[in-house]
Coordinates of all heavy atoms in Angstrom, one line a residue:
M1 N 32.9 44.1 159.2 CA 31.5 44.6 159.0 C 31.6 45.8 158.0 O 32.3 46.8 158.2 CB 30.9 45.0 160.3 CG 29.4 45.3 160.1 SD 28.6 45.6 161.8 CE 28.5 47.3 161.8
S2 N 30.9 45.6 156.9 CA 30.9 46.7 155.9 C 29.8 47.7 156.2 O 28.7 47.4 156.3 CB 30.8 46.2 154.5 OG 30.6 47.2 153.6
T3 N 30.2 49.0 156.2 CA 29.2 50.0 156.4 C 29.2 51.0 155.2 O 28.7 52.0 155.2 CB 29.4 50.8 157.6 OG1 30.8 51.3 157.6 CG2 29.2 50.0 158.9
S4 N 29.8 50.5 154.1 CA 30.0 51.4 152.9 C 28.7 51.6 152.2 O 28.5 52.6 151.6 CB 31.1 50.9 152.0 OG 30.7 49.6 151.6
I5 N 27.8 50.6 152.2 CA 26.6 50.8 151.5 C 25.4 51.0 152.5 O 25.1 50.1 153.3 CB 26.3 49.5 150.6 CG1 27.4 49.3 149.6 CG2 24.9 49.7 149.9 CD1 27.4 48.0 148.9
R6 N 24.9 52.2 152.4 CA 23.8 52.4 153.3 C 22.6 52.9 152.4 O 22.8 53.9 151.6 CB 24.1 53.5 154.3 CG 25.0 52.9 155.4 CD 25.1 53.9 156.6 NE 25.5 55.3 156.1 CZ 25.3 56.4 156.8 NH1 24.8 56.3 158.0 NH2 25.7 57.5 156.3
P7 N 21.5 52.3 152.6 CA 20.3 52.8 151.8 C 19.9 54.2 152.2 O 20.0 54.5 153.4 CB 19.2 51.8 152.2 CG 19.6 51.2 153.5 CD 21.1 51.3 153.5
R8 N 19.6 55.0 151.3 CA 19.1 56.4 151.6 C 17.7 56.3 152.1 O 16.9 55.6 151.4 CB 19.3 57.3 150.4 CG 20.7 57.7 150.1 CD 20.8 58.7 149.0 NE 20.2 60.0 149.5 CZ 20.9 60.9 150.2 NH1 22.1 60.7 150.5 NH2 20.4 62.1 150.6
T9 N 17.4 56.9 153.1 CA 16.0 56.9 153.6 C 15.5 58.3 153.8 O 16.3 59.3 153.6 CB 16.0 56.2 155.0 OG1 16.7 56.9 155.9 CG2 16.5 54.8 154.9
M10 N 14.4 58.4 154.3 CA 13.8 59.8 154.6 C 14.6 60.5 155.7 O 14.6 61.7 155.8 CB 12.4 59.6 155.1 CG 11.4 59.4 154.0 SD 9.7 59.1 154.6 CE 9.2 60.8 155.0
K11 N 15.4 59.7 156.4 CA 16.2 60.3 157.5 C 17.3 61.2 156.9 O 17.9 62.0 157.6 CB 16.9 59.2 158.3 CG 15.9 58.5 159.2 CD 16.6 57.3 159.9 CE 15.5 56.5 160.6 NZ 16.1 55.2 161.0
D12 N 17.6 61.0 155.7 CA 18.7 61.8 155.0 C 18.3 63.3 154.8 O 19.1 64.1 154.4 CB 19.1 61.2 153.7 CG 19.8 59.9 153.9 OD1 20.4 59.7 155.0 OD2 19.7 59.0 153.0
R13 N 17.0 63.5 154.9 CA 16.6 64.9 154.5 C 17.1 66.0 155.4 O 17.7 66.9 154.9 CB 15.1 64.9 154.5 CG 14.5 64.4 153.2 CD 13.1 64.0 153.2 NE 12.3 65.0 153.7 CZ 11.0 64.9 154.1 NH1 10.5 63.7 154.1 NH2 10.3 65.9 154.5
G14 N 16.9 65.9 156.7 CA 17.4 67.0 157.5 C 16.7 68.3 157.2 O 15.7 68.4 156.5
G15 N 17.4 69.4 157.6 CA 16.9 70.7 157.3 C 16.0 71.3 158.4 O 15.9 70.7 159.5
W16 N 15.3 72.3 158.0 CA 14.4 73.0 159.0 C 13.0 72.9 158.6 O 12.7 73.0 157.4 CB 14.9 74.4 159.2 CG 16.2 74.5 159.9 CD1 17.4 74.3 159.3 CD2 16.4 74.7 161.2 NE1 18.4 74.4 160.3 CE2 17.8 74.7 161.5 CE3 15.5 75.0 162.3 CZ2 18.3 74.9 162.7 CZ3 16.1 75.2 163.6 CH2 17.5 75.1 163.8
L17 N 12.1 72.8 159.5 CA 10.7 72.9 159.3 C 10.2 74.3 159.6 O 10.5 74.7 160.7 CB 10.0 71.8 160.2 CG 8.5 71.9 160.0 CD1 8.1 71.1 158.8 CD2 7.8 71.2 161.2
C18 N 9.6 74.9 158.7 CA 9.1 76.3 159.0 C 7.7 76.3 159.4 O 6.8 75.6 158.8 CB 9.5 77.3 157.9 SG 9.0 76.8 156.3
M19 N 7.4 77.1 160.4 CA 6.0 77.2 160.9 C 5.5 78.6 160.4 O 6.3 79.6 160.4 CB 6.0 77.2 162.4 CG 6.5 75.9 162.9 SD 6.6 75.8 164.7 CE 7.9 76.9 165.1
P20 N 4.3 78.6 160.0 CA 3.7 79.9 159.6 C 3.7 80.9 160.8 O 3.4 80.5 161.9 CB 2.3 79.6 159.1 CG 2.0 78.2 159.6 CD 3.3 77.5 160.0
L21 N 4.0 82.2 160.5 CA 4.0 83.2 161.5 C 2.6 83.6 161.8 O 1.7 83.7 160.9 CB 4.7 84.4 161.0 CG 6.3 84.3 161.0 CD1 6.9 85.4 160.1 CD2 6.8 84.5 162.4
C22 N 2.3 83.9 163.1 CA 0.9 84.4 163.4 C 0.6 85.7 162.8 O -0.5 86.0 162.5 CB 0.8 84.5 165.0 SG 0.8 82.9 165.8
E23 N 1.7 86.5 162.5 CA 1.4 87.8 161.9 C 0.9 87.6 160.4 O 0.1 88.4 159.9 CB 2.6 88.7 161.7 CG 3.8 88.4 162.4 CD 5.0 89.4 162.2 OE1 5.4 89.8 161.1 OE2 5.4 89.8 163.3
N24 N 1.4 86.5 159.8 CA 0.9 86.2 158.4 C -0.4 85.5 158.4 O -1.1 85.6 157.4 CB 2.0 85.4 157.7 CG 3.3 86.1 157.5 OD1 3.3 87.4 157.5 ND2 4.3 85.4 157.2
V25 N -0.6 84.7 159.4 CA -1.8 83.8 159.4 C -2.5 84.1 160.8 O -2.4 83.2 161.7 CB -1.5 82.3 159.3 CG1 -2.8 81.5 159.0 CG2 -0.5 82.1 158.1
P26 N -3.2 85.2 160.9 CA -3.7 85.5 162.3 C -4.8 84.5 162.8 O -4.9 84.4 164.0 CB -4.4 86.9 162.1 CG -4.0 87.4 160.7 CD -3.5 86.2 159.9
E27 N -5.5 83.9 161.9 CA -6.6 83.0 162.4 C -6.1 81.6 162.7 O -6.7 81.0 163.5 CB -7.7 82.9 161.3 CG -8.4 84.3 161.0 CD -9.2 84.8 162.2 OE1 -9.8 84.0 162.9 OE2 -9.2 86.0 162.4
G28 N -5.2 81.1 161.9 CA -4.7 79.7 162.1 C -5.8 78.7 161.7 O -6.8 79.1 161.0
K29 N -5.6 77.5 162.1 CA -6.6 76.4 161.7 C -6.9 75.6 162.9 O -6.1 75.6 163.9 CB -5.9 75.5 160.7 CG -5.6 76.1 159.3 CD -6.4 75.6 158.2 CE -6.2 76.4 156.9 NZ -5.0 76.0 156.2
P30 N -8.0 74.9 163.0 CA -8.3 74.0 164.1 C -7.1 73.1 164.4 O -6.6 72.5 163.5 CB -9.5 73.2 163.7 CG -10.1 74.0 162.6 CD -9.0 74.7 161.9
G31 N -6.7 73.0 165.7 CA -5.6 72.1 166.0 C -4.3 72.7 166.0 O -3.3 72.2 166.6
W32 N -4.1 73.9 165.4 CA -2.9 74.6 165.5 C -2.7 75.2 166.8 O -3.6 75.7 167.5 CB -2.8 75.7 164.4 CG -2.7 75.3 163.0 CD1 -3.0 74.0 162.5 CD2 -2.4 76.1 161.8 NE1 -2.8 74.0 161.2 CE2 -2.5 75.2 160.7 CE3 -2.1 77.4 161.7 CZ2 -2.2 75.7 159.4 CZ3 -1.8 77.9 160.4 CH2 -1.9 77.0 159.3
K33 N -1.4 75.2 167.3 CA -1.1 75.8 168.6 C -0.1 76.9 168.4 O 0.9 76.8 167.7 CB -0.5 74.7 169.5 CG -1.4 73.8 170.1 CD -0.7 72.8 171.1 CE 0.1 71.8 170.4 NZ 0.8 70.9 171.3
K34 N -0.3 78.0 169.2 CA 0.6 79.1 169.1 C 1.9 78.7 169.9 O 1.8 78.2 171.0 CB 0.0 80.3 169.7 CG -0.8 81.1 168.7 CD -1.3 82.4 169.3 CE -2.3 83.0 168.3 NZ -2.9 84.2 168.8
M35 N 3.0 79.0 169.3 CA 4.3 78.8 170.1 C 5.2 79.9 169.6 O 5.0 80.4 168.5 CB 4.8 77.4 169.9 CG 5.2 77.0 168.5 SD 6.2 75.5 168.5 CE 7.8 76.1 169.0
S36 N 6.2 80.2 170.4 CA 7.2 81.1 169.9 C 8.3 80.4 169.3 O 8.8 79.4 169.7 CB 7.6 82.1 171.0 OG 7.9 81.3 172.2
C37 N 8.8 81.0 168.2 CA 9.9 80.5 167.5 C 11.1 80.3 168.4 O 11.5 81.3 169.1 CB 10.3 81.4 166.3 SG 11.8 81.0 165.5
P38 N 11.7 79.1 168.4 CA 12.9 78.9 169.3 C 14.1 79.8 168.9 O 15.0 79.9 169.7 CB 13.2 77.4 169.2 CG 12.3 76.9 168.2 CD 11.4 77.9 167.6
N39 N 14.1 80.3 167.7 CA 15.2 81.1 167.2 C 15.0 82.6 167.5 O 15.9 83.2 168.0 CB 15.4 80.8 165.8 CG 16.7 81.1 165.2 OD1 17.7 80.6 165.8 ND2 16.8 81.9 164.2
C40 N 13.9 83.1 167.1 CA 13.7 84.6 167.2 C 12.6 85.0 168.2 O 12.5 86.1 168.5 CB 13.4 85.2 165.8 SG 11.8 84.8 165.2
G41 N 11.8 84.0 168.6 CA 10.8 84.3 169.6 C 9.5 84.9 169.1 O 8.6 85.2 169.9
K42 N 9.4 85.0 167.8 CA 8.1 85.5 167.2 C 7.1 84.4 167.4 O 7.4 83.2 167.3 CB 8.3 85.7 165.7 CG 8.8 87.1 165.4 CD 8.8 87.3 163.9 CE 9.6 88.5 163.4 NZ 8.9 89.8 163.7
L43 N 5.8 84.8 167.5 CA 4.8 83.9 167.7 C 4.5 83.2 166.3 O 4.3 83.9 165.3 CB 3.5 84.6 168.2 CG 3.3 84.6 169.7 CD1 1.9 85.3 170.0 CD2 3.3 83.2 170.3
C44 N 4.4 81.9 166.3 CA 4.0 81.2 165.1 C 3.2 80.0 165.4 O 2.9 79.7 166.6 CB 5.3 80.8 164.3 SG 6.6 80.1 165.3
W45 N 2.7 79.3 164.4 CA 1.8 78.2 164.6 C 2.5 76.9 164.5 O 3.2 76.6 163.5 CB 0.7 78.3 163.5 CG -0.2 79.4 163.6 CD1 -0.2 80.5 162.8 CD2 -1.3 79.6 164.5 NE1 -1.2 81.4 163.1 CE2 -1.9 80.9 164.2 CE3 -1.8 78.9 165.6 CZ2 -3.0 81.3 164.9 CZ3 -2.9 79.4 166.3 CH2 -3.5 80.6 166.0
E46 N 2.2 76.1 165.5 CA 2.7 74.7 165.4 C 1.6 73.8 164.9 O 0.5 73.8 165.6 CB 3.2 74.2 166.8 CG 3.8 72.8 166.8 CD 3.9 72.3 168.2 OE1 3.0 72.4 169.0 OE2 5.0 71.7 168.5
R47 N 1.8 73.2 163.8 CA 0.7 72.3 163.3 C 0.9 70.9 163.7 O 2.0 70.4 163.7 CB 0.7 72.4 161.7 CG 0.3 73.8 161.3 CD 0.7 74.0 159.8 NE 2.2 73.9 159.6 CZ 2.8 74.2 158.4 NH1 2.0 74.5 157.4 NH2 4.1 74.1 158.3
P48 N -0.2 70.2 164.1 CA -0.1 68.9 164.6 C 0.6 67.9 163.7 O 1.4 67.1 164.1 CB -1.6 68.4 164.8 CG -2.4 69.5 164.4 CD -1.6 70.7 164.0
E49 N 0.4 68.1 162.4 CA 1.1 67.2 161.4 C 2.6 67.4 161.4 O 3.4 66.5 161.0 CB 0.5 67.3 160.0 CG 0.7 68.6 159.3 CD -0.5 69.6 159.5 OE1 -1.1 69.5 160.6 OE2 -0.8 70.4 158.7
D50 N 3.1 68.6 161.8 CA 4.5 68.9 161.7 C 5.3 68.1 162.7 O 6.4 67.7 162.5 CB 4.8 70.4 162.0 CG 4.3 71.2 160.9 OD1 4.1 70.7 159.8 OD2 4.1 72.4 161.1
A51 N 4.7 67.8 163.9 CA 5.4 67.0 164.9 C 5.8 65.6 164.3 O 7.0 65.2 164.6 CB 4.5 66.8 166.1
G52 N 5.0 65.0 163.5 CA 5.4 63.7 162.9 C 6.5 63.9 161.9 O 7.4 63.1 161.9
I53 N 6.5 64.9 161.1 CA 7.5 65.2 160.1 C 8.8 65.3 160.8 O 9.8 64.8 160.3 CB 7.1 66.4 159.3 CG1 5.9 66.2 158.5 CG2 8.3 66.8 158.4 CD1 5.3 67.4 157.8
V54 N 8.9 66.1 161.9 CA 10.1 66.3 162.6 C 10.7 65.0 163.0 O 11.9 64.7 162.9 CB 9.9 67.2 163.8 CG1 11.2 67.3 164.6 CG2 9.5 68.6 163.4
R55 N 9.9 64.1 163.5 CA 10.4 62.8 164.0 C 10.9 61.9 162.8 O 11.9 61.3 162.9 CB 9.3 62.1 164.8 CG 9.7 61.6 166.1 CD 8.5 61.0 166.9 NE 7.5 61.9 167.2 CZ 6.2 61.7 166.9 NH1 5.8 60.6 166.2 NH2 5.3 62.5 167.2
I56 N 10.1 61.9 161.8 CA 10.4 61.0 160.6 C 11.6 61.4 159.9 O 12.5 60.6 159.6 CB 9.2 60.9 159.7 CG1 8.0 60.2 160.4 CG2 9.6 60.2 158.4 CD1 6.7 60.4 159.7
S57 N 11.7 62.7 159.6 CA 12.8 63.1 158.7 C 14.0 63.7 159.5 O 14.9 64.3 158.8 CB 12.3 64.1 157.6 OG 11.4 65.0 158.2
K58 N 14.0 63.5 160.8 CA 15.2 64.0 161.6 C 15.6 65.4 161.2 O 16.8 65.6 160.8 CB 16.4 63.0 161.3 CG 16.2 61.6 161.9 CD 17.0 61.5 163.3 CE 16.5 60.3 164.1 NZ 16.8 59.1 163.5
L59 N 14.7 66.3 161.3 CA 15.0 67.7 161.0 C 15.9 68.3 162.0 O 16.0 67.8 163.2 CB 13.7 68.5 161.0 CG 12.7 68.1 159.8 CD1 11.4 68.8 160.0 CD2 13.4 68.6 158.5
D60 N 16.6 69.3 161.6 CA 17.5 70.0 162.6 C 16.7 70.7 163.6 O 17.2 71.0 164.7 CB 18.3 71.0 161.8 CG 19.3 70.3 160.8 OD1 19.7 69.2 161.1 OD2 19.5 70.9 159.7
G61 N 15.5 71.1 163.3 CA 14.6 71.8 164.2 C 13.5 72.5 163.6 O 13.3 72.3 162.3
V62 N 12.7 73.2 164.3 CA 11.7 74.0 163.8 C 11.9 75.4 164.0 O 12.5 75.8 165.0 CB 10.3 73.6 164.4 CG1 9.9 72.2 164.0 CG2 10.3 73.7 165.9
C63 N 11.4 76.3 163.2 CA 11.5 77.7 163.4 C 10.4 78.4 162.5 O 9.8 77.7 161.7 CB 12.9 78.2 163.0 SG 13.4 77.8 161.4
C64 N 10.3 79.7 162.7 CA 9.3 80.4 161.9 C 9.8 80.5 160.4 O 11.0 80.2 160.1 CB 9.0 81.7 162.5 SG 10.4 82.9 162.3
T65 N 8.9 80.9 159.6 CA 9.2 81.0 158.2 C 10.4 82.0 157.9 O 11.3 81.7 157.1 CB 8.0 81.6 157.4 OG1 6.8 80.8 157.8 CG2 8.1 81.5 155.9
L66 N 10.4 83.1 158.6 CA 11.5 84.0 158.4 C 12.9 83.4 158.8 O 13.8 83.6 158.0 CB 11.3 85.3 159.3 CG 10.2 86.2 158.9 CD1 10.2 87.4 159.8 CD2 10.5 86.7 157.5
C67 N 12.9 82.7 159.9 CA 14.2 82.1 160.3 C 14.6 81.0 159.4 O 15.8 80.8 159.1 CB 14.1 81.6 161.7 SG 14.0 82.8 163.0
A68 N 13.6 80.3 158.8 CA 13.9 79.2 157.9 C 14.6 79.8 156.7 O 15.6 79.3 156.1 CB 12.7 78.5 157.5
L69 N 14.1 80.9 156.2 CA 14.6 81.6 155.0 C 16.1 82.0 155.3 O 17.0 81.8 154.5 CB 13.8 82.8 154.6 CG 12.4 82.5 154.0 CD1 11.7 83.8 153.8 CD2 12.6 81.7 152.7
E70 N 16.3 82.5 156.5 CA 17.6 83.0 156.9 C 18.6 81.8 156.9 O 19.7 81.9 156.5 CB 17.6 83.6 158.3 CG 17.6 85.1 158.2 CD 17.3 85.6 159.6 OE1 17.9 85.1 160.6 OE2 16.5 86.6 159.8
K71 N 18.1 80.7 157.5 CA 19.0 79.5 157.6 C 19.3 78.9 156.2 O 20.5 78.5 156.0 CB 18.3 78.4 158.4 CG 18.3 78.8 159.9 CD 17.6 77.8 160.7 CE 17.3 78.4 162.1 NZ 18.6 78.8 162.8
V72 N 18.4 78.9 155.3 CA 18.6 78.4 154.0 C 19.7 79.3 153.3 O 20.6 78.9 152.7 CB 17.3 78.4 153.1 CG1 17.6 78.1 151.7 CG2 16.4 77.3 153.7
A73 N 19.5 80.6 153.5 CA 20.5 81.6 152.9 C 21.9 81.4 153.5 O 22.9 81.4 152.7 CB 20.0 83.0 153.2
E74 N 22.0 81.1 154.8 CA 23.2 80.9 155.4 C 23.9 79.7 154.8 O 25.1 79.7 154.5 CB 23.0 80.5 156.9 CG 23.4 81.6 157.9 CD 22.9 81.3 159.3 OE1 23.1 80.1 159.7 OE2 22.3 82.1 159.9
R75 N 23.1 78.6 154.7 CA 23.6 77.3 154.2 C 24.2 77.5 152.8 O 25.2 76.9 152.4 CB 22.5 76.3 154.3 CG 23.1 74.9 154.2 CD 22.0 73.9 154.5 NE 21.8 73.8 156.0 CZ 21.1 72.8 156.5 NH1 20.4 71.9 155.8 NH2 20.9 72.7 157.8
C76 N 23.4 78.3 152.0 CA 23.8 78.4 150.6 C 25.0 79.3 150.4 O 25.8 79.1 149.4 CB 22.6 79.1 149.8 SG 21.2 78.0 149.6
S77 N 25.3 80.1 151.4 CA 26.4 81.1 151.2 C 27.7 80.4 151.6 O 28.8 81.0 151.5 CB 26.2 82.4 152.0 OG 26.2 82.1 153.4
K78 N 27.6 79.2 152.2 CA 28.8 78.6 152.7 C 29.5 77.7 151.6 O 28.8 77.2 150.7 CB 28.5 77.7 153.9 CG 28.7 78.5 155.2 CD 28.2 77.7 156.4 CE 28.0 78.6 157.6 NZ 27.2 78.0 158.6
Ligands
ZN1 ZN1 12.0 82.8 163.9

């Protein structure tokens, strides 16, 4: 069985989904839910459309904007 050729799909994306911080967006939008960032614990907004993106693109996880920036910097420095 050959597994050498695999079509690239949206699943190849990976990465982190960043959620807007409540400090940056105090009002939020209808349907947004407050949750704390699993990484740093800051309050941020979980948007209903993000849940679908996480499932479709097999993201590594979700975190606030600040943590996402840190993670990108970490990845680039390696
Ligand atoms: Zn965070």
Side-chain angles (χ1 to χ4, degrees):
M1 189 172 104
S2 170
T3 55
S4 58
I5 300 166
R6 285 192 308 162
R8 287 186 68 83
T9 65
M10 282 174 78
K11 288 175 189 165
D12 292 331
R13 276 161 55 191
W16 289 81
L17 177 77
C18 53
M19 298 178 289
L21 282 164
C22 291
E23 350 179 306
N24 293 342
V25 191
E27 298 295 323
K29 297 246 171 83
W32 289 15
K33 278 186 291 181
K34 274 184 190 176
M35 62 170 282
S36 44
C37 168
N39 200 55
C40 71
K42 275 183 190 289
L43 269 184
C44 45
W45 293 106
E46 185 192 42
R47 293 165 297 184
E49 64 266 31
D50 290 343
I53 295 170
V54 173
R55 233 177 294 125
I56 292 164
S57 44
K58 291 261 163 65
L59 291 170
D60 298 325
V62 293
C63 57
C64 71
T65 312
L66 285 179
C67 291
L69 289 175
E70 263 170 42
K71 285 177 193 306
V72 169
E74 253 171 46
R75 197 168 279 190
C76 291
S77 66
K78 270 173 195 163

